[in-house]
Amino acid sequence: PGGGEPAFVGVQGVGYLIPRGIEVSVPESVVEVLKNAKQDIITQDPDTGELHTEMVYTYPFMVLGEAA
């Protein structure tokens, strides 16, 4: 969601706007919020009509390393 707009993450009353496609440093608590932001994608097989559910991250991200 949000396309190319920054992702907003709130942790204990503090808001973070995280730009997309740019490497940034964030507190571990922000990473935990992102790990827990998930949604189910439901698709239907056009041949059988069977429904399939797949869990995906709402805001895909990568952890590149920890700050020294």
Side-chain angles (χ1 to χ4, degrees):
E5 296 295 316
F8 177 81
V9 175
V11 179
Q12 296 182 347
V14 177
Y16 298 87
L17 277 177
I18 304 171
R20 297 169 192 253
I22 298 173
E23 184 177 332
V24 295
S25 295
V26 295
E28 181 66 29
S29 57
V30 172
V31 175
E32 289 302 315
V33 169
L34 292 171
K35 284 181 182 177
N36 290 310
K38 301 172 185 173
Q39 60 185 353
D40 288 329
I41 301 296
I42 300 172
T43 56
Q44 186 173 24
D45 186 305
D47 298 324
T48 66
E50 184 179 353
L51 295 177
H52 301 278
T53 304
E54 177 185 8
M55 185 284 305
V56 297
Y57 286 109
T58 303
Y59 304 102
F61 67 97
M62 290 187 332
V63 176
L64 299 176
E66 295 183 24

